[in-house]
C-alpha cells in the first residue's frame, strides 16, 4: 500500500481482513483496493502478475504470500448488462472501473465494505458497516432480493459469515432466502464446490449444516442427502451426518487435519446404502450393489456440486472399504491395514458404530488389531478352530456350519 501511495495512487485494505481485524479475529488473507488500473499496479511492482481475462486483478507476490490488488469498480446501475454473470459468478458489470464509493456499494455485506486508509489510519465506511459491526448484524447492501438474484451464492455467504462472526442475519436479508434458495441450482457446479468447502471446513460445520437446512439451501447442494434426512428412519440417518460434522469440528478445534472426502462421504452414505439395499433385493451381490450405488449417487451429486475426481475416488473407497472390515480372518485384515484410505475408512466405521450403523465389537476389534504386536495380530486373524468332529454328529455339525 505504501508503494502504491508513493507512486501517486490511493490504496486501502478492504473486505474480510478489515472486518476481521476490527473484530479481533485473525484475517485469512489481505485484499487491497486502489484507484490504480491493473496495468499501473503491475508497473509499480516487480513481483506482480495480472490474472483473469475480463476481471483483471493484480497478484503481488511477497515470498509465499499473495496480496490481491483490485482496482475500484462501479456497478453501473441501470445498464442493460446489469444481470449478466460470468461462468465463475462474477458480474460482468463488475469490470467497469469506478470510484471508491461505487466500489463499496457493489460489495455484498456492509461489514465487508469497510476500507482502511493508510493516509490517516481511518476507516472509510459508505454503507453503514461500522454500525452493523458494533451491533453484530449481517446486512446486505441494497435490496436483499435483488442482490441474491444477482448472485445467489450470496445466500451461502450470508450463512457462512453469520456463523463465522457469530452475527445475527438481518431479518430483511433472511426473509428472501426461503423463496430464492432454489436459484443456487443455476450456479456453476465448480463454484459451489469451493463454497461448500468453505462452509463445512471452517470449524463450525454442524451449526452451518443446521442453518443451511433451515433456509432450504442444503437441499440444493445435497439433494439426495436431504431426501434421506427428510425421511428419517428411527432417527438414524440424521444422527450419522451430525456426528460426522461434530467429529470434524472437534478435529479442527484440536488442530488436526480434515479432508473434504470424509465429510462428503458421510453426507451421502445413507443414500448409497439405501440404493445398494435396493439393488441387493433385486439380486445383485453385495459388492456389486455397493459399487453401482456409489457410482449412481456420485453421478447425481456432481450435477449440483462438481466434486473433483480424486475426491470422489476417495469417497468411493471409504464406502467400499466398509464391507471389508467384516473380513477378519487370514491375510485380508493385513492388506486392508495398508490401504491408503484405511485410516479414514476406520474413522468412518467408528462413527457408524457410534450411531448404531455397525456393531461396536467390530470397531473395537480393529482398534485392537492396529495396536497389538505381530504375535497377537496373528492370533486375532487365525481361523476359528473347528470343533473336533465326532463321527456320529459330523453330519449335524456340517449342517449347522452352512447355516451360519
Ligand atoms: P473470507 O476471506 O474471510 O472468507 P472475505 O470477506 O474476505 O471473507 P472473499 O470471498 O475473500 O471474502 O471476498 C473479498 C471481498 O470481496 C468481500 O469482503 C466482499 O467485499 C467482496 N465480495 C466477495 N464476493 C462477493 C459477492 N459474491 N458479491 C459481492 N461482493 C463480494
Ligand atoms: Mg478474503
Amino acid at each position: 500500500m505504501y508503494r502504491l501511495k508513493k507512486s501517486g495512487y490511493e490504496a486501502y485494505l478492504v473486505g474480510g481482513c478489515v472486518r476481521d481485524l476490527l473484530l479481533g479475529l485473525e484475517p485469512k488473507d489481505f485484499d487491497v483496493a486502489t484507484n490504480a488500473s491493473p496495468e499501473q499496479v503491475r508497473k509499480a511492482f516487480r513481483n506482480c502478475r495480472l490474472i483473469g481475462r475480463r476481471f483483471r486483478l493484480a497478484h503481488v507476490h511477497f515470498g509465499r504470500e499473495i496480496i490481491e490488488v483490485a482496482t475500484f469498480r462501479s456497478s453501473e446501475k441501470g445498464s442493460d448488462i446489469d444481470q449478466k454473470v460470468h461462468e465463475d459468478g462474477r458480474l460482468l458489470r463488475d469490470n467497469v472501473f469506478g470510484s471508491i464509493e461505487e466500489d463499496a456499494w457493489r460489495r455484498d455485506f456492509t461489514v465487508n465494505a469497510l476500507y482502511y486508509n493508510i493516509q490517516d489510519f481511518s476507516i472509510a465506511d459508505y454503507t453503514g458497516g461500522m454500525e452493523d459491526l458494533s451491533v453484530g448484524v449481517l446486512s446486505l447492501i441494497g435490496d436483499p432480493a435483488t442482490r441474491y438474484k444477482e448472485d445467489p451464492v450470496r445466500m451461502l455467504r450470508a450463512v457462512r459469515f453469520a456463523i463465522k462472526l457469530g452475527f445475527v442475519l438481518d431479518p430483511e436479508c433472511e426473509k428472501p432466502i426461503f423463496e430464492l434458495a432454489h436459484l443456487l441450482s443455476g450456479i456453476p457446479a465448480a463454484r459451489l464446490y469451493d463454497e461448500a468447502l468453505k462452509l463445512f471446513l471452517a470449524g463450525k460445520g454442524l451449526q452451518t449444516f443446521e442453518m443451511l437446512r433451515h433456509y432450504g439451501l442444503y437441499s440444493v447442494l445435497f439433494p439426495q442427502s436431504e431426501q434421506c434426512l427428510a425421511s428419517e428412519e428411527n432417527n438414524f440417518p440424521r444422527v450419522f451426518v451430525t456426528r460426522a460434522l461434530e467429529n470434524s469440528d472437534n478435529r479442527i478445534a484440536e488442530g488436526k487435519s480434515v479432508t473434504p472426502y470424509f465429510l462428503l462421504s458421510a453426507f451421502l452414505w445413507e443414500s448409497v446404502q439405501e440404493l445398494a439395499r435396493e439393488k441387493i433385493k433385486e439380486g445383485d451381490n453385495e459388492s456389486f450393489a455397493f459399487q453401482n450405488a456409489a457410482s449412481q449417487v456420485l453421478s447425481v451429486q456432481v450435477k449440483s456440486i462438481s466434486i473433483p475426481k480424486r475426491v470422489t475416488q476417495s469417497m468411493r473407497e471409504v464406502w467400499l472399504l466398509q464391507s471389508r472390515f467384516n473380513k477378519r480372518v487370514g491375510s485380508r485384515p493385513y492388506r486392508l491395514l495398508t490401504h491408503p484410505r484405511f485410516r479414514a475408512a476406520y474413522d468412518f466405521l467408528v462413527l457408524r458404530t457410534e450411531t448404531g450403523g455397525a456393531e461396536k465389537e467390530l470397531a473395537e476389534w480393529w482398534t485392537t488389531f492396529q495396536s497389538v504386536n505381530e504375535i497377537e495380530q496373528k492370533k486375532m486373524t487365525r481361523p476359528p478352530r473347528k470343533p473336533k468332529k465326532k463321527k456320529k454328529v459330523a453330519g449335524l455339525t456340517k449342517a449347522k456350519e452352512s447355516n451360519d
Side-chain angles (χ1 to χ4, degrees):
M1 289 199 291
Y2 285 98
R3 170 83 59 90
L4 285 167
K5 187 181 157 199
K6 257 216 275 198
S7 310
Y9 306 112
E10 289 171 34
Y12 300 82
L13 274 185
V14 65
C17 61
V18 179
R19 173 199 71 211
D20 290 350
L21 286 170
L22 286 167
L23 290 170
L25 304 169
E26 193 183 332
K28 255 191 354 211
D29 46 33
F30 291 90
D31 295 321
V32 170
T34 178
N35 62 352
S37 71
E39 266 312 315
Q40 289 169 328
V41 175
R42 197 174 60 84
K43 285 200 182 118
F45 295 90
R46 270 187 311 149
N47 47 352
C48 173
R49 217 176 277 165
L50 298 189
I51 59 147
R53 260 188 303 164
R54 281 190 254 178
F55 187 91
R56 302 214 95 188
L57 283 174
H59 273 181
V60 181
H61 294 249
F62 288 103
R64 288 173 59 195
E65 291 230 37
I66 295 177
I67 312 284
E68 200 169 280
V69 183
T71 306
F72 296 144
R73 287 176 162 80
S74 101
S75 62
E76 263 202 348
K77 280 231 154 59
S79 89
D80 56 357
I81 56 166
D82 243 5
Q83 297 299 324
K84 288 206 185 117
V85 175
H86 282 321
E87 259 286 282
D88 66 356
R90 293 194 219 243
L91 299 175
L92 266 184
R93 54 172 221 207
D94 254 13
N95 213 21
V96 181
F97 297 140
S99 67
I100 178 173
E101 181 159 3
E102 286 169 320
D103 191 75
W105 287 100
R106 75 175 176 94
R107 290 177 184 272
D108 50 3
F109 300 96
T110 61
V111 295
N112 283 351
L114 296 169
Y115 296 73
Y116 177 67
N117 185 352
I118 47 163
Q119 308 266 4
D120 57 1
F121 312 112
S122 65
I123 298 280
D125 175 11
Y126 300 95
T127 63
M130 285 305 270
E131 165 71 14
D132 284 340
L133 205 67
S134 69
V135 292
V137 172
L138 192 66
S139 339
L140 270 171
I141 298 169
D143 172 57
T146 310
R147 301 303 311 277
Y148 289 139
K149 285 180 195 160
E150 202 173 71
D151 180 5
V153 169
R154 289 178 185 143
M155 293 185 274
L156 297 180
R157 290 174 62 87
V159 170
R160 180 156 72 86
F161 292 129
I163 287 173
K164 169 180 169 149
L165 308 173
F167 278 25
V168 175
L169 195 52
D170 173 77
E172 292 304 308
C173 298
E174 191 176 18
K175 247 188 280 163
I177 300 183
F178 296 100
E179 275 158 41
L180 300 178
H182 68 95
L183 291 180
L184 267 186
S185 60
I187 298 295
R191 187 174 177 213
L192 287 187
Y193 179 70
D194 294 339
E195 288 301 323
L197 295 194
K198 286 189 206 162
L199 281 163
F200 290 109
L201 299 180
K204 292 181 182 168
L206 181 54
Q207 230 182 313
T208 303
F209 166 80
E210 303 283 3
M211 197 161 168
L212 288 174
R213 283 201 79 205
H214 173 72
Y215 291 126
L217 291 164
Y218 185 77
S219 66
V220 191
L221 298 177
F222 298 99
Q224 300 168 103
S225 170
E226 175 61 41
Q227 210 181 354
C228 280
L229 291 166
S231 64
E232 267 176 56
E233 240 175 82
N234 11 324
N235 230 10
F236 172 67
R238 190 176 153 89
V239 178
F240 184 69
V241 176
T242 50
R243 269 298 292 133
L245 283 160
E246 219 169 46
N247 179 271
S248 136
D249 288 347
N250 290 340
R251 286 183 66 93
I252 294 168
E254 291 163 19
K256 291 188 194 159
S257 69
V258 285
T259 61
Y261 71 78
F262 189 84
L263 266 186
L264 291 171
S265 52
F267 285 170
L268 298 174
W269 173 235
E270 193 57 31
S271 311
V272 170
Q273 274 187 305
E274 214 164 80
L275 198 57
R277 264 184 242 130
E278 268 172 43
K279 290 182 186 296
I280 290 168
K281 249 193 231 159
E282 288 164 12
D284 281 357
N285 76 40
E286 188 184 337
S287 145
F288 197 62
F290 267 90
Q291 283 182 37
N292 281 338
S295 303
Q296 218 168 307
V297 166
L298 284 171
S299 75
V300 172
Q301 180 57 54
V302 295
K303 284 185 192 141
S304 13
I305 296 184
S306 78
I307 308 171
K309 253 253 141 66
R310 68 191 147 76
V311 178
T312 54
Q313 185 54 33
S314 302
M315 292 167 69
R316 179 192 290 278
E317 284 169 341
V318 168
W319 291 331
L320 300 182
L321 287 183
Q322 296 308 308
S323 64
R324 284 176 55 184
F325 283 115
N326 295 320
K327 313 266 165 32
R328 290 184 268 173
V329 173
S331 59
R332 283 177 148 183
Y334 295 95
R335 258 185 282 151
L336 188 51
L337 215 49
T338 62
H339 192 285
R341 230 45 78 206
F342 171 80
R343 187 69 218 182
Y346 163 77
D347 288 344
F348 201 85
L349 172 70
V350 172
L351 273 186
R352 288 174 57 217
T353 63
E354 284 173 7
T355 50
E359 292 298 329
K360 232 193 163 89
E361 183 269 330
L362 184 62
E364 280 165 4
W365 189 93
W366 281 96
T367 310
T368 313
F369 186 63
Q370 290 173 75
S371 64
V372 295
N373 63 25
E374 262 176 69
I375 301 164
E376 289 300 316
Q377 282 188 333
K378 238 192 188 119
K379 273 191 208 159
M380 290 177 75
T381 53
R382 199 177 286 157
R385 223 180 274 156
K386 294 208 173 94
K388 272 189 191 151
K389 291 176 191 165
K390 285 181 191 163
K391 263 186 188 162
K392 269 192 231 160
V393 289
L396 195 68
T397 315
K398 209 160 200 168
K400 191 164 183 301
E401 255 173 21
S402 62
N403 252 348
D404 290 345

